[in-house]
Amino acid sequence: MPHRHGKAFVYAYVLEGTMRSKLAGKPVHTYRQGENWVERPGAHHVLTENTSRTERAKLLVVYVSNTGDKLKVDDPRS
């Protein structure tokens, strides 16, 4: 589901498998094991998915945020 990470800075690292990710205004990008991406505070994350239906994907995600801030805010459903 599309979402934002509020005021958090996000670092994502692919530990296993292959992930597809898209931030608003940017093209879809495929990340493989050992690759990473960052999201600035307030970035609109419109897609995150495992590219395989049979192989698992695993991410290490680090959030840098103020204590108590929401780490994920889903878009309202239309």
Side-chain angles (χ1 to χ4, degrees), residues 9-13 21 23 26 31 36-41 43 45 62:
F9 180 86
V10 178
Y11 171 81
Y13 179 84
S21 180
L23 298 177
K26 304 221 176 183
Y31 297 91
N36 66 78
W37 72 88
V38 296
E39 297 177 31
R40 294 186 163 279
H45 201 159
V62 177

Side-chain angles (χ1 to χ4, degrees), residues 1-4 6 8-9 11-12 19 23 26 28-30 32-33 37 41-42 45 60-62 71:
M1 173 162 200
H3 62 275
R4 297 176 193 273
F9 180 86
Y11 171 81
M19 298 290 298
L23 298 177
K26 304 221 176 183
V28 173
H29 190 87
T30 301
R32 292 169 176 71
Q33 183 176 354
W37 72 88
H45 201 159
L60 168 67
V61 180
V62 177
L71 296 181

Side-chain angles (χ1 to χ4, degrees), residues 61-78:
V61 180
V62 177
Y63 298 91
V64 179
S65 182
N66 291 321
T67 301
D69 283 356
K70 283 187 124 182
L71 296 181
K72 182 177 178 228
V73 179
D74 290 331
D75 285 1
R77 293 188 184 247
S78 301

